Each structure stands twice: as C-alpha cells, then as structure tokens.
Amino acid sequence: MAAAGHRIRTALTGGPMSVRGFRLLLAGQLSSTVGDYCYAVALPWLILSGDGGPVLLGTVLACYGIPRVVTIPLGGVVADRIGGRRVMLMTDLVRAAAVGTLAVLASAGTPTLGQLAPIAVVLGACSGMFIPASYTLLPALLRKEDLGRGNALSTMVNQVGGLLGPTAGGALVAAFDAGPALTVDAASFLVSALVLSRIRSGADAPEHDGSDATDEAPARKVSFPELLRHGRLLHVVLVVALVCNLAFNGTIEVALPELAHQGMGATGYGILLTCLSLGGLAGSLVAARSRPVESPAYLFAALAVVMGIALGAVPYAGGLAGAAVCVCVYALASGWQNIVVVTMLQVWAPSALIGRVMSLVMLAVMGTFPISVAVAGFGVRHLGAAPFFPVAGGAIALTVLAALTQRVFRDHRADTEYALPVPVPAGATAAGPAPGVPAARSTHPGQDNSQESQP
C-alpha cells in the first residue's frame, strides 16, 4: 500500500507534473474539452428542435469544417512566428465571444442560417489556428525526455473530458435547453484563456540555441522550404498518416455503424463507441507509464500490426462482445501510437518550425476525411460492411511496415533532431552523409545518430 502511494505521489509530482505551466495547461484542457462536448450536444439539439432540420445542421457544420481545414496551415505559421501560447490564448478569447453570442441568440429562439453561419465560420477558423499551435506548447514547457509522458498525460485529460463532456452537455440540454450548455462552453474558453495567460514558456523568451559550447559559431537556422525538401522523416510520416487515415475514417464512420445496424442495434453501436474512447484512454495511460524507447519506429510498427489485426477481426470476432474487445484493442494501440509519433516529431523538428510541421500532419489527418467516408459509403453499399475491416486493417499494418524499408525512419532514434544537410566539397571522400542528405544530431553529446535518406 505504501509503495502504491509512493508511485502515485511520484506520478503527480515528478516528471512533467513538476512543471507548473504543464499542470495549468492540463486544467485548461479539461475545462475546454468538457465545454466543447457541451457545445457538440447543444448545437444539433438547438437546430433540430427548431425549423431548420438536418439540412440547416449540415450547412452549419460545413461552415465550421471548411474554415477549420483551410486555416490549419496558417495556424502553424503564426504559431511559429509569435508563439503557440499566444495563438491559443487569442483564439480561445475569440471563441468565447462567438459561443457567448450564440448562447444569447439561442435564448431568444432558434437562430437563422444568417446568424449561425458567421459564428460557425469564426469557430472553425479559430479551431484550425488552435490545433497546430497546441502542439508547440509542450516542447516549450517540458524537457525533451519528458515529452512522451507529457503528451500522454495531455491526451488522457482530453479523453477524460471527452467522456465527461457529453454527459454534462446532455444533462444541461435536457434540464435547461441549449442556451445554458452553450454558456458553459463559452465560460470554458474563458477559463482556458485565463490559464494560458498564466503560463510562461521558453517560446516567450528570446530564442537561444541551448548549446553549452562557447567556441562554436551559431548554427544557421533551418528554413521551412529546406525542411520540406530534405526532411525525409517528415515525408514518411505524412505518407503513413494519409494512407492510415484514408483507411480508418471511412471504416469507423461508415462501415462500423452499418455493421452494428445489421446485428447489434443502437445499444451495441453505443457500446462500440464507448470501447473506442476507453481504449484510447488506456493507450494514453500505457504510454504515460512506459519507458521511452530508443527506436520509436519499431514500436510504431509493432503497434500498427496490432491495430491492423484487431480492426480486421471486428466483424468476425463472434458478435458484439468480440467486436467490442477488438475495437478496444485497436484504440489502445492507436492511442499509444499517436503519442509515439507526435513526440518523435516534436523532438525531431526545429523548435521554430514545429507549428508548421504539425500543421502538415494535421492536414494529412483531417484532409482525408471527406474522401475516406465518401469511398466507404459507396463501397459499403455495394460490398457490405464486413470486407472493409480487414482491408482497412491490412492497409494500416502494411503501410507502416513499408515505412520500415526507409532507413531514415527505421534508424531514427528517439533523441534525434533534424540538422541541415552537410555539403561535401567536390572531389572529397566523406564518411558522413551524401550531399543533400540531412545530418542528424543527437540531444546527447557523444552519441552517434547519423542517418541517411536512402533505404
């Protein structure tokens, strides 16, 4: 009992939790996530309870979704220029005002499209700006060796909010209608903004290279076009993200509800979605408690194989109970894998470019959604739901295993940072990377983590 208490105290006070700014960030995230889910319940209820119906709801959601995707690259650029914390703070204040306005309109009846559309556009644009900025804050708050646990704890808080928020939002809407639930969301943005205003990070201070050496000339900064040209690790991750999300989104959003509709019912579908959330939370917990690995690519690939097998087995696992286990295993591996790759990129990318790097990854993740669900809708109609699961699972596993054929991915080390290509003089014989190949540098002096760009 005493040993368990000691472990809990260590988890709450050591590592990332010893950083005051990180603890504040978690509090703000929990508040904002619960508020977001209150909004997610209140908005459809508000529109569908009036005369608008599903057409108005779909139009409003499109007014939200399109600006969100479009502004993701802008969010990455602005976050790199002025700091992710400032972008998050400003977008939270704007969203608080927008949702507060919507709450006032809701108290007077069902808002019209002319009132809802501009608010949805503002909220979508702010969300797109916020997403890449949020990935820049942890590297500014935590040491590189604490980033993995920090990302896991941050994800866990969001997932807990995702479990609590819909219940709270549903209870508020059922008891008081949509207006109070929207007011809670607006207040949650204000709480998040207040928390962000009290966080101080390295991004707010003059930039320094962090080197202990005093006799070396300062290294030239890497530009984003150079990183795009020579960052083979980023190229591999983007391809993996594109293919895996093409396979995943349509399967979960179209094939899974159709499979449940055929034999598990609405209750069964709700159980599968709950398992998806609980599995993701378990994956974050495992990632938070696991030791950092030296070669994250192999862990990433092993988790992808587990994901592929579990997803492919969903229709053939013996009904609801077996499907629920498969979905839970898939979500656990996926949650852990997401933390592995985010941490890998946060360490690898130059600090001044993290926002833009993550904006590209988020575009790969979110931009595939319309294509994936459209293809799945057509395919499920003609082929049925069951075949989609092994096809999607196989695509996920094979894509990540194919990524291991790339040496830049296979040989990547957890502490490796990107460095500019090392030019080789004409006629010289070099033992290092070939011309135009980025040299990798380790965060631990004396450790050789050189890598080549060719498989």
Side-chain angles (χ1 to χ4, degrees), residues 101-116:
T101 301
L102 181 57
V104 173
L105 293 172
S107 65
T110 304
T112 65
L113 177 61
Q115 295 169 323
L116 289 168

PDB file of all heavy atoms in Angstrom, residues 101-116:
ATOM      1  N   THR A 101     -22.147  34.764 -27.903  1.00  0.00           N
ATOM      2  CA  THR A 101     -23.148  35.372 -28.779  1.00  0.00           C
ATOM      3  C   THR A 101     -24.196  34.342 -29.204  1.00  0.00           C
ATOM      4  O   THR A 101     -25.401  34.630 -29.225  1.00  0.00           O
ATOM      5  CB  THR A 101     -22.468  35.957 -30.036  1.00  0.00           C
ATOM      6  OG1 THR A 101     -21.498  36.932 -29.634  1.00  0.00           O
ATOM      7  CG2 THR A 101     -23.483  36.592 -30.964  1.00  0.00           C
ATOM      8  N   LEU A 102     -23.742  33.129 -29.521  1.00  0.00           N
ATOM      9  CA  LEU A 102     -24.669  32.068 -29.904  1.00  0.00           C
ATOM     10  C   LEU A 102     -25.604  31.720 -28.739  1.00  0.00           C
ATOM     11  O   LEU A 102     -26.805  31.460 -28.943  1.00  0.00           O
ATOM     12  CB  LEU A 102     -23.895  30.836 -30.347  1.00  0.00           C
ATOM     13  CG  LEU A 102     -24.711  29.628 -30.814  1.00  0.00           C
ATOM     14  CD1 LEU A 102     -25.641  30.013 -31.960  1.00  0.00           C
ATOM     15  CD2 LEU A 102     -23.789  28.483 -31.224  1.00  0.00           C
ATOM     16  N   ALA A 103     -25.085  31.720 -27.508  1.00  0.00           N
ATOM     17  CA  ALA A 103     -25.919  31.424 -26.347  1.00  0.00           C
ATOM     18  C   ALA A 103     -27.011  32.477 -26.179  1.00  0.00           C
ATOM     19  O   ALA A 103     -28.161  32.156 -25.846  1.00  0.00           O
ATOM     20  CB  ALA A 103     -25.053  31.353 -25.091  1.00  0.00           C
ATOM     21  N   VAL A 104     -26.679  33.748 -26.419  1.00  0.00           N
ATOM     22  CA  VAL A 104     -27.676  34.818 -26.334  1.00  0.00           C
ATOM     23  C   VAL A 104     -28.745  34.637 -27.402  1.00  0.00           C
ATOM     24  O   VAL A 104     -29.950  34.767 -27.147  1.00  0.00           O
ATOM     25  CB  VAL A 104     -26.997  36.200 -26.468  1.00  0.00           C
ATOM     26  CG1 VAL A 104     -28.047  37.306 -26.558  1.00  0.00           C
ATOM     27  CG2 VAL A 104     -26.075  36.448 -25.274  1.00  0.00           C
ATOM     28  N   LEU A 105     -28.307  34.301 -28.627  1.00  0.00           N
ATOM     29  CA  LEU A 105     -29.265  34.074 -29.707  1.00  0.00           C
ATOM     30  C   LEU A 105     -30.160  32.874 -29.401  1.00  0.00           C
ATOM     31  O   LEU A 105     -31.371  32.898 -29.699  1.00  0.00           O
ATOM     32  CB  LEU A 105     -28.522  33.838 -31.024  1.00  0.00           C
ATOM     33  CG  LEU A 105     -27.747  35.033 -31.594  1.00  0.00           C
ATOM     34  CD1 LEU A 105     -26.911  34.595 -32.795  1.00  0.00           C
ATOM     35  CD2 LEU A 105     -28.700  36.154 -31.992  1.00  0.00           C
ATOM     36  N   ALA A 106     -29.586  31.829 -28.812  1.00  0.00           N
ATOM     37  CA  ALA A 106     -30.365  30.628 -28.505  1.00  0.00           C
ATOM     38  C   ALA A 106     -31.434  30.901 -27.464  1.00  0.00           C
ATOM     39  O   ALA A 106     -32.506  30.277 -27.483  1.00  0.00           O
ATOM     40  CB  ALA A 106     -29.440  29.515 -28.026  1.00  0.00           C
ATOM     41  N   SER A 107     -31.169  31.816 -26.555  1.00  0.00           N
ATOM     42  CA  SER A 107     -32.151  32.129 -25.519  1.00  0.00           C
ATOM     43  C   SER A 107     -33.390  32.815 -26.101  1.00  0.00           C
ATOM     44  O   SER A 107     -34.451  32.827 -25.469  1.00  0.00           O
ATOM     45  CB  SER A 107     -31.526  33.021 -24.449  1.00  0.00           C
ATOM     46  OG  SER A 107     -31.175  34.286 -24.996  1.00  0.00           O
ATOM     47  N   ALA A 108     -33.268  33.389 -27.304  1.00  0.00           N
ATOM     48  CA  ALA A 108     -34.391  34.083 -27.940  1.00  0.00           C
ATOM     49  C   ALA A 108     -35.095  33.219 -28.973  1.00  0.00           C
ATOM     50  O   ALA A 108     -36.033  33.678 -29.628  1.00  0.00           O
ATOM     51  CB  ALA A 108     -33.890  35.369 -28.599  1.00  0.00           C
ATOM     52  N   GLY A 109     -34.663  31.988 -29.147  1.00  0.00           N
ATOM     53  CA  GLY A 109     -35.270  31.099 -30.133  1.00  0.00           C
ATOM     54  C   GLY A 109     -34.206  30.464 -30.999  1.00  0.00           C
ATOM     55  O   GLY A 109     -33.009  30.570 -30.729  1.00  0.00           O
ATOM     56  N   THR A 110     -34.631  29.767 -32.056  1.00  0.00           N
ATOM     57  CA  THR A 110     -33.677  29.112 -32.954  1.00  0.00           C
ATOM     58  C   THR A 110     -33.047  30.139 -33.883  1.00  0.00           C
ATOM     59  O   THR A 110     -33.749  30.813 -34.635  1.00  0.00           O
ATOM     60  CB  THR A 110     -34.376  28.033 -33.799  1.00  0.00           C
ATOM     61  OG1 THR A 110     -35.027  27.100 -32.935  1.00  0.00           O
ATOM     62  CG2 THR A 110     -33.362  27.303 -34.664  1.00  0.00           C
ATOM     63  N   PRO A 111     -31.718  30.296 -33.862  1.00  0.00           N
ATOM     64  CA  PRO A 111     -31.072  31.257 -34.762  1.00  0.00           C
ATOM     65  C   PRO A 111     -31.245  30.856 -36.224  1.00  0.00           C
ATOM     66  O   PRO A 111     -31.435  29.686 -36.554  1.00  0.00           O
ATOM     67  CB  PRO A 111     -29.591  31.201 -34.344  1.00  0.00           C
ATOM     68  CG  PRO A 111     -29.593  30.587 -32.983  1.00  0.00           C
ATOM     69  CD  PRO A 111     -30.762  29.652 -32.955  1.00  0.00           C
ATOM     70  N   THR A 112     -31.171  31.839 -37.087  1.00  0.00           N
ATOM     71  CA  THR A 112     -31.277  31.599 -38.528  1.00  0.00           C
ATOM     72  C   THR A 112     -29.911  31.244 -39.101  1.00  0.00           C
ATOM     73  O   THR A 112     -28.877  31.391 -38.438  1.00  0.00           O
ATOM     74  CB  THR A 112     -31.806  32.853 -39.238  1.00  0.00           C
ATOM     75  OG1 THR A 112     -30.836  33.908 -39.099  1.00  0.00           O
ATOM     76  CG2 THR A 112     -33.135  33.294 -38.640  1.00  0.00           C
ATOM     77  N   LEU A 113     -29.915  30.793 -40.356  1.00  0.00           N
ATOM     78  CA  LEU A 113     -28.650  30.484 -41.026  1.00  0.00           C
ATOM     79  C   LEU A 113     -27.767  31.725 -41.106  1.00  0.00           C
ATOM     80  O   LEU A 113     -26.547  31.630 -40.943  1.00  0.00           O
ATOM     81  CB  LEU A 113     -28.914  29.933 -42.433  1.00  0.00           C
ATOM     82  CG  LEU A 113     -27.676  29.637 -43.285  1.00  0.00           C
ATOM     83  CD1 LEU A 113     -26.803  28.584 -42.621  1.00  0.00           C
ATOM     84  CD2 LEU A 113     -28.085  29.186 -44.697  1.00  0.00           C
ATOM     85  N   GLY A 114     -28.367  32.880 -41.358  1.00  0.00           N
ATOM     86  CA  GLY A 114     -27.595  34.120 -41.419  1.00  0.00           C
ATOM     87  C   GLY A 114     -26.908  34.454 -40.109  1.00  0.00           C
ATOM     88  O   GLY A 114     -25.880  35.145 -40.110  1.00  0.00           O
ATOM     89  N   GLN A 115     -27.456  33.986 -38.996  1.00  0.00           N
ATOM     90  CA  GLN A 115     -26.810  34.194 -37.693  1.00  0.00           C
ATOM     91  C   GLN A 115     -25.824  33.081 -37.364  1.00  0.00           C
ATOM     92  O   GLN A 115     -24.751  33.326 -36.812  1.00  0.00           O
ATOM     93  CB  GLN A 115     -27.886  34.266 -36.605  1.00  0.00           C
ATOM     94  CG  GLN A 115     -28.806  35.472 -36.732  1.00  0.00           C
ATOM     95  CD  GLN A 115     -30.016  35.380 -35.804  1.00  0.00           C
ATOM     96  OE1 GLN A 115     -30.565  34.291 -35.581  1.00  0.00           O
ATOM     97  NE2 GLN A 115     -30.426  36.517 -35.261  1.00  0.00           N
ATOM     98  N   LEU A 116     -26.194  31.845 -37.728  1.00  0.00           N
ATOM     99  CA  LEU A 116     -25.360  30.702 -37.369  1.00  0.00           C
ATOM    100  C   LEU A 116     -24.100  30.594 -38.218  1.00  0.00           C
ATOM    101  O   LEU A 116     -23.026  30.248 -37.716  1.00  0.00           O
ATOM    102  CB  LEU A 116     -26.166  29.407 -37.495  1.00  0.00           C
ATOM    103  CG  LEU A 116     -27.267  29.168 -36.458  1.00  0.00           C
ATOM    104  CD1 LEU A 116     -28.151  28.016 -36.887  1.00  0.00           C
ATOM    105  CD2 LEU A 116     -26.658  28.894 -35.091  1.00  0.00           C
TER     106      LEU A 116
END
